[in-house]
Amino acid sequence: MIKRFLSQGAKSEDHAQYLIQIRKNQIYVRIAQIILLIFFIGMWEVAVRFGLVDEFLFSRPSKIWDLFVQMLATGELQHHIYVTLFETAVGFILGTVLGTLLATLIWISPFMAKVLDPYLVVLNGMPKVALGPIFIVSFGAGYVSIIAMALAISIIITTIVVYTSFKEVDPNYLKLAQTFGARKYQTFFKIILPASFPTIVSTLKVNVGLSWVGVIVGEFLVSKAGLGYLIIYGFQVFNLTLVMMSLLIISIAATLMYQIVAYIEKKILSTHE
């Protein structure tokens, strides 16, 4: 039964043995990861209870869990999670789409590429947190400012990565298309975009982390709801258990979002092979 499950999809006996070996290794890795996580949490709890780690600074897993259940029961935590997830999703989508569109416009116009190149370099090197007060004054203390912060962090790197991918397409393909009389938009949609598609999809995974950074920083500055707000509020009232709980939720949510994007990437790229 187990062997049949592990060899599912095999084309031959040798292929079945190969699949069994690969899937066994994947299972062993997962088991080791779970054991390591349990060991870390257990050592954390023991270290705090025996006074090896300051409970005020690092709290302890059981206390974090109790607070999590308590806030979940009141419905307060769901609201904060929803706010942060909404802001992150919007910033992630806008950053990817607008960054790709800007890279496309730059590729279409070599003149624009030369004009914008130094500005892209400056904006990429600039710490985006410095733009926070400008966003707050421009858009007010609300969702728009936080999404703008996430967008500012992700759009420039997306533009640079995607535009670089456009430029690295084999020039022989472009010359061949031009020989057959292809127009620039035909060259883009038939050659440039398909060749750069793996890079564009891979950029999604980069933007997951960038969007989370932008949203949390934005919530630090201006928000009255969200996981970033809970972290700042926890520091203000010296409730480090609330801070640790919020950090753990952010870590789990960001990991799940990354895995979803990785799964979508795998499905999309498999259809373009």
Side-chain angles (χ1 to χ4, degrees):
M1 182 71 177
I2 297 177
K3 185 177 180 181
R4 188 184 308 164
F5 172 75
L6 294 176
S7 61
Q8 187 177 9
K11 305 298 182 182
S12 64
E13 185 62 30
D14 291 337
H15 189 209
Q17 293 300 321
Y18 172 76
L19 290 177
I20 290 173
Q21 187 64 34
I22 292 296
R23 287 167 181 168
K24 276 185 177 180
N25 185 63
Q26 291 174 342
I27 292 173
Y28 293 151
V29 169
R30 293 299 182 192
I31 292 174
Q33 290 173 338
I34 293 171
I35 292 174
L36 183 61
L37 178 61
I38 294 173
F39 175 78
F40 173 76
I41 294 174
M43 290 301 296
W44 182 4
E45 182 76 23
V46 170
V48 172
R49 288 186 179 274
F50 281 90
L52 301 176
V53 175
D54 191 342
E55 182 175 352
F56 175 76
L57 293 177
F58 298 100
S59 189
R60 52 188 167 89
S62 58
K63 197 173 180 181
I64 293 172
W65 175 255
D66 290 340
L67 179 62
F68 174 78
V69 173
Q70 177 186 341
M71 293 187 68
L72 210 60
T74 61
E76 181 183 2
L77 186 58
Q78 292 93 314
H79 171 67
H80 290 291
I81 293 174
Y82 168 77
V83 168
T84 301
L85 287 177
F86 170 76
E87 293 165 346
T88 304
V90 174
F92 168 75
I93 294 171
L94 287 178
T96 303
V97 173
L98 295 180
T100 303
L101 289 176
L102 183 56
T104 302
L105 292 175
I106 294 174
W107 180 85
I108 290 173
S109 174
F111 176 78
M112 185 181 294
K114 293 177 182 177
V115 171
L116 295 181
D117 182 68
Y119 295 101
L120 290 175
V121 173
V122 171
L123 290 174
N124 187 48
M126 176 188 295
K128 309 303 184 298
V129 179
L131 299 174
I134 298 176
F135 291 146
I136 294 172
V137 173
S138 302
F139 304 116
Y143 294 124
V144 179
S145 296
I146 298 171
I147 293 172
M149 177 65 73
L151 183 61
I153 290 179
S154 61
I155 189 172
I156 300 301
I157 190 66
T158 301
T159 302
I160 293 174
V161 171
V162 175
Y163 175 61
T164 301
S165 176
F166 288 168
K167 292 195 300 181
E168 290 178 350
V169 174
D170 192 339
N172 292 322
Y173 293 150
L174 304 181
K175 291 178 182 177
L176 181 63
Q178 292 169 358
T179 301
F180 284 98
R183 297 179 180 273
K184 194 155 190 173
Y185 75 90
Q186 293 173 322
T187 302
F188 178 78
F189 286 106
K190 296 294 184 180
I191 298 176
I192 299 294
L193 191 59
S196 304
F197 200 73
T199 301
I200 296 173
V201 176
S202 296
T203 305
L204 295 175
K205 293 193 289 188
V206 177
N207 281 349
V208 170
L210 295 177
S211 298
W212 276 97
V213 170
V215 167
I216 297 303
V217 169
E219 290 181 346
F220 282 173
L221 296 174
V222 69
S223 181
K224 295 182 180 180
L227 297 173
Y229 164 78
L230 289 182
I231 293 174
I232 290 297
Y233 176 76
F235 273 119
Q236 291 173 342
V237 299
F238 297 101
N239 186 351
L240 277 300
T241 300
L242 179 61
V243 173
M244 295 300 294
M245 183 198 70
S246 301
L247 288 173
L248 290 173
I249 293 175
I250 290 171
S251 300
I252 294 171
T255 301
L256 290 176
M257 186 174 175
Y258 181 90
Q259 292 299 327
I260 291 172
V261 171
Y263 175 79
I264 294 173
E265 175 193 26
K266 183 179 178 181
K267 289 296 183 182
I268 291 177
L269 293 182
S270 65
T271 60
H272 284 77
E273 291 179 352

PDB file of all heavy atoms in Angstrom, residues 198-230:
ATOM      1  N   PRO A 198       9.518  32.987 -17.181  1.00  0.00           N
ATOM      2  CA  PRO A 198      10.018  32.372 -15.941  1.00  0.00           C
ATOM      3  C   PRO A 198      10.562  33.390 -14.942  1.00  0.00           C
ATOM      4  O   PRO A 198      10.357  33.252 -13.731  1.00  0.00           O
ATOM      5  CB  PRO A 198      11.123  31.431 -16.437  1.00  0.00           C
ATOM      6  CG  PRO A 198      10.751  31.110 -17.843  1.00  0.00           C
ATOM      7  CD  PRO A 198      10.138  32.369 -18.373  1.00  0.00           C
ATOM      8  N   THR A 199      11.244  34.415 -15.441  1.00  0.00           N
ATOM      9  CA  THR A 199      11.772  35.452 -14.550  1.00  0.00           C
ATOM     10  C   THR A 199      10.655  36.253 -13.908  1.00  0.00           C
ATOM     11  O   THR A 199      10.701  36.571 -12.713  1.00  0.00           O
ATOM     12  CB  THR A 199      12.693  36.413 -15.333  1.00  0.00           C
ATOM     13  OG1 THR A 199      13.768  35.665 -15.902  1.00  0.00           O
ATOM     14  CG2 THR A 199      13.243  37.499 -14.434  1.00  0.00           C
ATOM     15  N   ILE A 200       9.625  36.575 -14.704  1.00  0.00           N
ATOM     16  CA  ILE A 200       8.494  37.332 -14.171  1.00  0.00           C
ATOM     17  C   ILE A 200       7.791  36.549 -13.073  1.00  0.00           C
ATOM     18  O   ILE A 200       7.453  37.089 -12.012  1.00  0.00           O
ATOM     19  CB  ILE A 200       7.504  37.684 -15.297  1.00  0.00           C
ATOM     20  CG1 ILE A 200       8.175  38.624 -16.311  1.00  0.00           C
ATOM     21  CG2 ILE A 200       6.251  38.340 -14.726  1.00  0.00           C
ATOM     22  CD1 ILE A 200       7.336  38.899 -17.545  1.00  0.00           C
ATOM     23  N   VAL A 201       7.586  35.260 -13.314  1.00  0.00           N
ATOM     24  CA  VAL A 201       6.911  34.426 -12.320  1.00  0.00           C
ATOM     25  C   VAL A 201       7.781  34.277 -11.074  1.00  0.00           C
ATOM     26  O   VAL A 201       7.284  34.322  -9.945  1.00  0.00           O
ATOM     27  CB  VAL A 201       6.577  33.049 -12.921  1.00  0.00           C
ATOM     28  CG1 VAL A 201       5.953  32.142 -11.873  1.00  0.00           C
ATOM     29  CG2 VAL A 201       5.615  33.202 -14.099  1.00  0.00           C
ATOM     30  N   SER A 202       9.086  34.121 -11.267  1.00  0.00           N
ATOM     31  CA  SER A 202       9.992  34.004 -10.125  1.00  0.00           C
ATOM     32  C   SER A 202      10.025  35.291  -9.305  1.00  0.00           C
ATOM     33  O   SER A 202      10.242  35.260  -8.088  1.00  0.00           O
ATOM     34  CB  SER A 202      11.409  33.662 -10.599  1.00  0.00           C
ATOM     35  OG  SER A 202      11.443  32.400 -11.225  1.00  0.00           O
ATOM     36  N   THR A 203       9.813  36.418  -9.971  1.00  0.00           N
ATOM     37  CA  THR A 203       9.787  37.705  -9.269  1.00  0.00           C
ATOM     38  C   THR A 203       8.647  37.754  -8.261  1.00  0.00           C
ATOM     39  O   THR A 203       8.724  38.477  -7.251  1.00  0.00           O
ATOM     40  CB  THR A 203       9.640  38.861 -10.277  1.00  0.00           C
ATOM     41  OG1 THR A 203      10.680  38.775 -11.256  1.00  0.00           O
ATOM     42  CG2 THR A 203       9.738  40.218  -9.588  1.00  0.00           C
ATOM     43  N   LEU A 204       7.598  36.979  -8.512  1.00  0.00           N
ATOM     44  CA  LEU A 204       6.478  36.932  -7.577  1.00  0.00           C
ATOM     45  C   LEU A 204       6.950  36.506  -6.189  1.00  0.00           C
ATOM     46  O   LEU A 204       6.510  37.058  -5.169  1.00  0.00           O
ATOM     47  CB  LEU A 204       5.406  35.951  -8.078  1.00  0.00           C
ATOM     48  CG  LEU A 204       4.688  36.307  -9.381  1.00  0.00           C
ATOM     49  CD1 LEU A 204       3.749  35.183  -9.785  1.00  0.00           C
ATOM     50  CD2 LEU A 204       3.903  37.604  -9.234  1.00  0.00           C
ATOM     51  N   LYS A 205       7.851  35.516  -6.149  1.00  0.00           N
ATOM     52  CA  LYS A 205       8.333  35.023  -4.853  1.00  0.00           C
ATOM     53  C   LYS A 205       9.153  36.087  -4.130  1.00  0.00           C
ATOM     54  O   LYS A 205       9.090  36.192  -2.902  1.00  0.00           O
ATOM     55  CB  LYS A 205       9.154  33.753  -5.058  1.00  0.00           C
ATOM     56  CG  LYS A 205       8.324  32.572  -5.553  1.00  0.00           C
ATOM     57  CD  LYS A 205       9.060  31.262  -5.455  1.00  0.00           C
ATOM     58  CE  LYS A 205      10.169  31.159  -6.442  1.00  0.00           C
ATOM     59  NZ  LYS A 205      10.772  29.800  -6.469  1.00  0.00           N
ATOM     60  N   VAL A 206       9.913  36.866  -4.883  1.00  0.00           N
ATOM     61  CA  VAL A 206      10.670  37.958  -4.272  1.00  0.00           C
ATOM     62  C   VAL A 206       9.726  39.011  -3.714  1.00  0.00           C
ATOM     63  O   VAL A 206       9.923  39.540  -2.611  1.00  0.00           O
ATOM     64  CB  VAL A 206      11.625  38.599  -5.304  1.00  0.00           C
ATOM     65  CG1 VAL A 206      12.361  39.783  -4.696  1.00  0.00           C
ATOM     66  CG2 VAL A 206      12.613  37.570  -5.828  1.00  0.00           C
ATOM     67  N   ASN A 207       8.663  39.286  -4.467  1.00  0.00           N
ATOM     68  CA  ASN A 207       7.720  40.324  -4.060  1.00  0.00           C
ATOM     69  C   ASN A 207       6.900  39.941  -2.831  1.00  0.00           C
ATOM     70  O   ASN A 207       6.334  40.818  -2.169  1.00  0.00           O
ATOM     71  CB  ASN A 207       6.778  40.667  -5.218  1.00  0.00           C
ATOM     72  CG  ASN A 207       7.432  41.579  -6.235  1.00  0.00           C
ATOM     73  OD1 ASN A 207       8.504  42.117  -5.985  1.00  0.00           O
ATOM     74  ND2 ASN A 207       6.814  41.743  -7.377  1.00  0.00           N
ATOM     75  N   VAL A 208       6.812  38.649  -2.544  1.00  0.00           N
ATOM     76  CA  VAL A 208       6.114  38.232  -1.326  1.00  0.00           C
ATOM     77  C   VAL A 208       6.793  38.846  -0.109  1.00  0.00           C
ATOM     78  O   VAL A 208       6.156  39.518   0.719  1.00  0.00           O
ATOM     79  CB  VAL A 208       6.086  36.693  -1.207  1.00  0.00           C
ATOM     80  CG1 VAL A 208       5.589  36.284   0.182  1.00  0.00           C
ATOM     81  CG2 VAL A 208       5.176  36.093  -2.267  1.00  0.00           C
ATOM     82  N   GLY A 209       8.110  38.637  -0.005  1.00  0.00           N
ATOM     83  CA  GLY A 209       8.846  39.189   1.132  1.00  0.00           C
ATOM     84  C   GLY A 209       8.855  40.704   1.137  1.00  0.00           C
ATOM     85  O   GLY A 209       8.686  41.336   2.193  1.00  0.00           O
ATOM     86  N   LEU A 210       9.047  41.303  -0.041  1.00  0.00           N
ATOM     87  CA  LEU A 210       9.090  42.764  -0.126  1.00  0.00           C
ATOM     88  C   LEU A 210       7.753  43.385   0.281  1.00  0.00           C
ATOM     89  O   LEU A 210       7.719  44.423   0.955  1.00  0.00           O
ATOM     90  CB  LEU A 210       9.463  43.191  -1.541  1.00  0.00           C
ATOM     91  CG  LEU A 210      10.864  42.805  -2.019  1.00  0.00           C
ATOM     92  CD1 LEU A 210      11.066  43.234  -3.473  1.00  0.00           C
ATOM     93  CD2 LEU A 210      11.932  43.429  -1.129  1.00  0.00           C
ATOM     94  N   SER A 211       6.661  42.764  -0.137  1.00  0.00           N
ATOM     95  CA  SER A 211       5.333  43.292   0.206  1.00  0.00           C
ATOM     96  C   SER A 211       5.082  43.224   1.708  1.00  0.00           C
ATOM     97  O   SER A 211       4.534  44.161   2.304  1.00  0.00           O
ATOM     98  CB  SER A 211       4.252  42.509  -0.544  1.00  0.00           C
ATOM     99  OG  SER A 211       4.401  42.642  -1.938  1.00  0.00           O
ATOM    100  N   TRP A 212       5.487  42.120   2.325  1.00  0.00           N
ATOM    101  CA  TRP A 212       5.331  41.999   3.779  1.00  0.00           C
ATOM    102  C   TRP A 212       6.153  43.057   4.507  1.00  0.00           C
ATOM    103  O   TRP A 212       5.681  43.669   5.475  1.00  0.00           O
ATOM    104  CB  TRP A 212       5.723  40.601   4.248  1.00  0.00           C
ATOM    105  CG  TRP A 212       4.607  39.612   4.128  1.00  0.00           C
ATOM    106  CD1 TRP A 212       4.382  38.731   3.120  1.00  0.00           C
ATOM    107  CD2 TRP A 212       3.526  39.433   5.052  1.00  0.00           C
ATOM    108  NE1 TRP A 212       3.238  38.005   3.349  1.00  0.00           N
ATOM    109  CE2 TRP A 212       2.697  38.419   4.530  1.00  0.00           C
ATOM    110  CE3 TRP A 212       3.185  40.020   6.263  1.00  0.00           C
ATOM    111  CZ2 TRP A 212       1.553  37.976   5.176  1.00  0.00           C
ATOM    112  CZ3 TRP A 212       2.037  39.588   6.914  1.00  0.00           C
ATOM    113  CH2 TRP A 212       1.237  38.587   6.383  1.00  0.00           C
ATOM    114  N   VAL A 213       7.376  43.274   4.047  1.00  0.00           N
ATOM    115  CA  VAL A 213       8.224  44.301   4.668  1.00  0.00           C
ATOM    116  C   VAL A 213       7.558  45.670   4.560  1.00  0.00           C
ATOM    117  O   VAL A 213       7.465  46.417   5.547  1.00  0.00           O
ATOM    118  CB  VAL A 213       9.617  44.329   4.004  1.00  0.00           C
ATOM    119  CG1 VAL A 213      10.402  45.558   4.473  1.00  0.00           C
ATOM    120  CG2 VAL A 213      10.389  43.065   4.323  1.00  0.00           C
ATOM    121  N   GLY A 214       7.076  45.994   3.362  1.00  0.00           N
ATOM    122  CA  GLY A 214       6.444  47.298   3.150  1.00  0.00           C
ATOM    123  C   GLY A 214       5.217  47.503   4.017  1.00  0.00           C
ATOM    124  O   GLY A 214       5.030  48.570   4.621  1.00  0.00           O
ATOM    125  N   VAL A 215       4.372  46.485   4.099  1.00  0.00           N
ATOM    126  CA  VAL A 215       3.139  46.606   4.882  1.00  0.00           C
ATOM    127  C   VAL A 215       3.435  46.732   6.373  1.00  0.00           C
ATOM    128  O   VAL A 215       2.857  47.587   7.061  1.00  0.00           O
ATOM    129  CB  VAL A 215       2.224  45.393   4.614  1.00  0.00           C
ATOM    130  CG1 VAL A 215       1.095  45.320   5.645  1.00  0.00           C
ATOM    131  CG2 VAL A 215       1.633  45.483   3.220  1.00  0.00           C
ATOM    132  N   ILE A 216       4.327  45.901   6.890  1.00  0.00           N
ATOM    133  CA  ILE A 216       4.629  45.953   8.323  1.00  0.00           C
ATOM    134  C   ILE A 216       5.268  47.292   8.692  1.00  0.00           C
ATOM    135  O   ILE A 216       4.924  47.899   9.719  1.00  0.00           O
ATOM    136  CB  ILE A 216       5.553  44.778   8.731  1.00  0.00           C
ATOM    137  CG1 ILE A 216       4.844  43.446   8.495  1.00  0.00           C
ATOM    138  CG2 ILE A 216       5.946  44.904  10.194  1.00  0.00           C
ATOM    139  CD1 ILE A 216       3.521  43.293   9.200  1.00  0.00           C
ATOM    140  N   VAL A 217       6.185  47.774   7.852  1.00  0.00           N
ATOM    141  CA  VAL A 217       6.797  49.084   8.100  1.00  0.00           C
ATOM    142  C   VAL A 217       5.732  50.176   8.054  1.00  0.00           C
ATOM    143  O   VAL A 217       5.715  51.083   8.899  1.00  0.00           O
ATOM    144  CB  VAL A 217       7.912  49.377   7.080  1.00  0.00           C
ATOM    145  CG1 VAL A 217       8.357  50.832   7.163  1.00  0.00           C
ATOM    146  CG2 VAL A 217       9.102  48.459   7.316  1.00  0.00           C
ATOM    147  N   GLY A 218       4.825  50.083   7.083  1.00  0.00           N
ATOM    148  CA  GLY A 218       3.746  51.057   6.991  1.00  0.00           C
ATOM    149  C   GLY A 218       2.849  51.035   8.217  1.00  0.00           C
ATOM    150  O   GLY A 218       2.445  52.093   8.727  1.00  0.00           O
ATOM    151  N   GLU A 219       2.564  49.835   8.715  1.00  0.00           N
ATOM    152  CA  GLU A 219       1.733  49.719   9.922  1.00  0.00           C
ATOM    153  C   GLU A 219       2.476  50.236  11.152  1.00  0.00           C
ATOM    154  O   GLU A 219       1.849  50.748  12.080  1.00  0.00           O
ATOM    155  CB  GLU A 219       1.300  48.269  10.116  1.00  0.00           C
ATOM    156  CG  GLU A 219       0.285  47.803   9.086  1.00  0.00           C
ATOM    157  CD  GLU A 219      -0.177  46.374   9.291  1.00  0.00           C
ATOM    158  OE1 GLU A 219       0.476  45.643  10.073  1.00  0.00           O
ATOM    159  OE2 GLU A 219      -1.182  45.990   8.672  1.00  0.00           O
ATOM    160  N   PHE A 220       3.788  50.090  11.167  1.00  0.00           N
ATOM    161  CA  PHE A 220       4.567  50.679  12.261  1.00  0.00           C
ATOM    162  C   PHE A 220       4.352  52.183  12.330  1.00  0.00           C
ATOM    163  O   PHE A 220       4.268  52.766  13.411  1.00  0.00           O
ATOM    164  CB  PHE A 220       6.063  50.410  12.052  1.00  0.00           C
ATOM    165  CG  PHE A 220       6.510  49.017  12.410  1.00  0.00           C
ATOM    166  CD1 PHE A 220       7.800  48.603  12.137  1.00  0.00           C
ATOM    167  CD2 PHE A 220       5.651  48.121  13.028  1.00  0.00           C
ATOM    168  CE1 PHE A 220       8.221  47.324  12.468  1.00  0.00           C
ATOM    169  CE2 PHE A 220       6.059  46.841  13.355  1.00  0.00           C
ATOM    170  CZ  PHE A 220       7.355  46.436  13.075  1.00  0.00           C
ATOM    171  N   LEU A 221       4.269  52.811  11.164  1.00  0.00           N
ATOM    172  CA  LEU A 221       4.234  54.267  11.099  1.00  0.00           C
ATOM    173  C   LEU A 221       2.846  54.854  11.342  1.00  0.00           C
ATOM    174  O   LEU A 221       2.719  55.906  11.981  1.00  0.00           O
ATOM    175  CB  LEU A 221       4.754  54.745   9.734  1.00  0.00           C
ATOM    176  CG  LEU A 221       6.222  54.444   9.409  1.00  0.00           C
ATOM    177  CD1 LEU A 221       6.537  54.848   7.981  1.00  0.00           C
ATOM    178  CD2 LEU A 221       7.136  55.172  10.385  1.00  0.00           C
ATOM    179  N   VAL A 222       1.812  54.189  10.805  1.00  0.00           N
ATOM    180  CA  VAL A 222       0.548  54.894  10.734  1.00  0.00           C
ATOM    181  C   VAL A 222      -0.692  54.085  11.123  1.00  0.00           C
ATOM    182  O   VAL A 222      -1.717  54.655  11.453  1.00  0.00           O
ATOM    183  CB  VAL A 222       0.353  55.452   9.302  1.00  0.00           C
ATOM    184  CG1 VAL A 222       0.121  54.340   8.302  1.00  0.00           C
ATOM    185  CG2 VAL A 222      -0.760  56.463   9.242  1.00  0.00           C
ATOM    186  N   SER A 223      -0.616  52.768  11.111  1.00  0.00           N
ATOM    187  CA  SER A 223      -1.824  51.970  11.213  1.00  0.00           C
ATOM    188  C   SER A 223      -2.425  51.957  12.623  1.00  0.00           C
ATOM    189  O   SER A 223      -1.722  52.107  13.620  1.00  0.00           O
ATOM    190  CB  SER A 223      -1.534  50.526  10.780  1.00  0.00           C
ATOM    191  OG  SER A 223      -2.702  49.746  10.860  1.00  0.00           O
ATOM    192  N   LYS A 224      -3.737  51.738  12.663  1.00  0.00           N
ATOM    193  CA  LYS A 224      -4.450  51.516  13.919  1.00  0.00           C
ATOM    194  C   LYS A 224      -5.004  50.100  13.982  1.00  0.00           C
ATOM    195  O   LYS A 224      -5.789  49.767  14.868  1.00  0.00           O
ATOM    196  CB  LYS A 224      -5.578  52.536  14.072  1.00  0.00           C
ATOM    197  CG  LYS A 224      -5.094  53.978  14.201  1.00  0.00           C
ATOM    198  CD  LYS A 224      -6.236  54.944  14.386  1.00  0.00           C
ATOM    199  CE  LYS A 224      -5.712  56.372  14.518  1.00  0.00           C
ATOM    200  NZ  LYS A 224      -6.828  57.357  14.691  1.00  0.00           N
ATOM    201  N   ALA A 225      -4.596  49.275  13.029  1.00  0.00           N
ATOM    202  CA  ALA A 225      -5.005  47.866  12.998  1.00  0.00           C
ATOM    203  C   ALA A 225      -3.984  47.101  12.173  1.00  0.00           C
ATOM    204  O   ALA A 225      -3.298  47.668  11.325  1.00  0.00           O
ATOM    205  CB  ALA A 225      -6.405  47.712  12.400  1.00  0.00           C
ATOM    206  N   GLY A 226      -3.901  45.809  12.420  1.00  0.00           N
ATOM    207  CA  GLY A 226      -2.951  44.989  11.682  1.00  0.00           C
ATOM    208  C   GLY A 226      -1.889  44.398  12.604  1.00  0.00           C
ATOM    209  O   GLY A 226      -1.740  44.808  13.754  1.00  0.00           O
ATOM    210  N   LEU A 227      -1.146  43.434  12.094  1.00  0.00           N
ATOM    211  CA  LEU A 227      -0.126  42.764  12.894  1.00  0.00           C
ATOM    212  C   LEU A 227       1.032  43.700  13.232  1.00  0.00           C
ATOM    213  O   LEU A 227       1.624  43.607  14.313  1.00  0.00           O
ATOM    214  CB  LEU A 227       0.378  41.527  12.148  1.00  0.00           C
ATOM    215  CG  LEU A 227      -0.687  40.444  11.904  1.00  0.00           C
ATOM    216  CD1 LEU A 227      -0.134  39.338  11.015  1.00  0.00           C
ATOM    217  CD2 LEU A 227      -1.168  39.866  13.231  1.00  0.00           C
ATOM    218  N   GLY A 228       1.380  44.591  12.310  1.00  0.00           N
ATOM    219  CA  GLY A 228       2.410  45.580  12.597  1.00  0.00           C
ATOM    220  C   GLY A 228       1.986  46.508  13.730  1.00  0.00           C
ATOM    221  O   GLY A 228       2.803  46.874  14.590  1.00  0.00           O
ATOM    222  N   TYR A 229       0.714  46.877  13.742  1.00  0.00           N
ATOM    223  CA  TYR A 229       0.183  47.708  14.819  1.00  0.00           C
ATOM    224  C   TYR A 229       0.273  46.978  16.157  1.00  0.00           C
ATOM    225  O   TYR A 229       0.635  47.578  17.180  1.00  0.00           O
ATOM    226  CB  TYR A 229      -1.263  48.084  14.514  1.00  0.00           C
ATOM    227  CG  TYR A 229      -2.016  48.607  15.718  1.00  0.00           C
ATOM    228  CD1 TYR A 229      -1.820  49.914  16.162  1.00  0.00           C
ATOM    229  CD2 TYR A 229      -2.905  47.786  16.413  1.00  0.00           C
ATOM    230  CE1 TYR A 229      -2.504  50.397  17.267  1.00  0.00           C
ATOM    231  CE2 TYR A 229      -3.584  48.260  17.521  1.00  0.00           C
ATOM    232  CZ  TYR A 229      -3.380  49.559  17.950  1.00  0.00           C
ATOM    233  OH  TYR A 229      -4.046  50.035  19.052  1.00  0.00           O
ATOM    234  N   LEU A 230      -0.026  45.674  16.165  1.00  0.00           N
ATOM    235  CA  LEU A 230       0.051  44.900  17.409  1.00  0.00           C
ATOM    236  C   LEU A 230       1.482  44.865  17.947  1.00  0.00           C
ATOM    237  O   LEU A 230       1.691  44.911  19.164  1.00  0.00           O
ATOM    238  CB  LEU A 230      -0.451  43.471  17.176  1.00  0.00           C
ATOM    239  CG  LEU A 230      -1.950  43.283  16.944  1.00  0.00           C
ATOM    240  CD1 LEU A 230      -2.276  41.807  16.778  1.00  0.00           C
ATOM    241  CD2 LEU A 230      -2.763  43.888  18.082  1.00  0.00           C
TER     242      LEU A 230
END
